[in-house]
Amino acid sequence: MARGKLAVWAAVLVWSVGLQAQPVYKWVDANGKTHYGSQPPADKDDAAPMKLQGTNGTTTGSASGPAGSGGGKSASTKGVEYNADGTKKIPEGVKDMAEGLRKSLGTVDSKQVPMNCAVAVSNIHYQADLMLEVGQKNVRDGYMTQAAFDTTAPKIREAKGKYSVGDCQSSSGNKKSFYQCMSSSNNHVTGCDRQFKH
């Protein structure tokens, strides 16, 4: 079960390219290495949210184009490159940011907070809903096919439904550690699930 669930969470990280509902921060550490994440480190006052464009900077937000209307490229999508499946190609700079975000979301905060089942379940459900929202946005913006969304979304909903306050309170072992990990709003399900397979 752990391998399948992790695959669901990991597959959704691909959807993070169009992430706009949650801020993404960029900062440089003392060694000059660039990091991306949903939470900047406490000691980084200069970390600021990045401004992201979910439409590749080439449209005015219309759903025209291969993925939005079933085919025709309009004048508003001029200059946009497309993949073989009709989805828009992701710009290189956005790919780099997405890779940094994937790594960041897969990392667990070293500070442990007290276990709180209500908070843990709320965080899990919120993140699952956000993944679905981002996936839908990427379909609308032309970065994902409807078929790809329709394949993955039910798995996310199913995984989300397996977590409840009652399940948390009766959990033990790695599952309890997963809920402990998710009690921190700085952690993401991908990182907690990777560290505490259950």
Side-chain angles (χ1 to χ4, degrees):
M1 174 168 136
R3 182 184 296 172
K5 186 164 38 58
L6 180 58
V8 169
W9 298 134
V12 174
L13 286 181
V14 174
W15 296 4
S16 66
V17 178
L19 185 64
Q20 292 183 357
Q22 180 175 337
V24 177
Y25 293 88
K26 178 181 179 180
W27 67 93
V28 179
D29 66 20
N31 298 322
K33 185 174 179 184
T34 302
H35 300 273
Y36 300 90
S38 59
Q39 296 280 333
D43 62 340
K44 281 304 217 181
D45 297 332
D46 60 341
M50 296 176 63
K51 291 183 177 18
L52 304 176
Q53 287 184 301
T55 59
N56 202 11
T58 58
T59 68
T60 57
S62 69
S64 61
S69 62
K73 293 177 188 169
S74 70
S76 66
T77 59
K78 192 174 183 180
V80 175
E81 294 183 38
Y82 291 89
N83 297 306
D85 64 359
T87 57
K88 292 179 185 175
K89 286 191 176 182
I90 299 164
E92 286 305 314
V94 177
K95 283 183 186 177
D96 293 342
M97 184 279 301
E99 181 58 30
L101 184 58
R102 272 193 277 278
K103 288 178 182 176
S104 175
L105 294 178
T107 304
V108 171
D109 191 349
S110 60
K111 290 183 191 172
Q112 197 174 64
V113 300
M115 185 164 161
N116 183 322
C117 287
V119 169
V121 171
S122 176
N123 285 338
I124 294 165
H125 289 186
Y126 169 77
Q127 290 176 16
D129 290 341
L130 184 59
M131 291 174 191
L132 293 168
E133 180 183 327
V134 169
Q136 290 168 337
K137 180 175 182 356
N138 284 342
V139 170
R140 284 193 307 271
D141 288 347
Y143 291 105
M144 172 184 276
T145 64
Q146 185 68 50
F149 177 82
D150 291 344
T151 297
T152 307
K155 297 173 186 173
I156 296 167
R157 291 184 186 105
E158 181 183 355
K160 172 187 169 185
K162 293 181 180 181
Y163 297 101
S164 66
V165 172
D167 183 62
C168 174
Q169 291 169 340
S170 65
S171 65
S172 61
N174 273 0
K175 193 168 195 181
K176 183 174 184 175
S177 297
F178 171 77
Y179 278 116
Q180 167 75 51
C181 182
M182 287 306 300
S183 295
S184 169
S185 296
N186 291 332
N187 291 331
H188 193 269
V189 289
T190 53
C192 292
D193 192 62
R194 184 176 298 146
Q195 186 163 334
F196 304 109
K197 297 186 186 319
H198 57 280

